[in-house]
Amino acid sequence: MLVLILSVVVLLVIGGCVCVFWAARGDAPRWARGVARATLLGSELARSSNRNSRSRQNGGDDSSSGGND
């Protein structure tokens, strides 16, 4: 059952990437542009949540120096 769910998720991700590529070419229908927009929004949300979780693990310090010079 878990394999089936993961397979569906992977197929949705691949379909979203195809729609992003198709929309970037400029000849995509309206529904594909909508899917592409949703895919890009989802990727931005995932990226921002990843940044937030990393900053919480580092104690809220966003500096990239890593040491005190």
Side-chain angles (χ1 to χ4, degrees):
M1 183 66 176
L2 183 63
V3 172
L4 178 66
I5 293 171
L6 289 175
S7 298
V8 169
V9 169
V10 167
L11 286 175
L12 287 173
V13 168
I14 291 171
C17 292
V18 168
C19 286
V20 168
F21 179 74
W22 194 8
R25 286 184 44 191
D27 58 348
R30 184 179 304 224
W31 65 267
R33 290 193 304 263
V35 171
R37 188 172 296 127
T39 301
L40 292 174
L41 178 65
S43 71
E44 286 296 321
L45 289 173
R47 187 180 305 163
S48 68
S49 69
N50 190 17
R51 281 190 205 134
N52 289 340
S53 67
R54 274 192 286 165
S55 69
R56 276 189 228 120
Q57 288 174 352
N58 293 336
D61 185 19
D62 277 344
S63 67
S64 61
S65 64
N68 47 2
D69 294 325

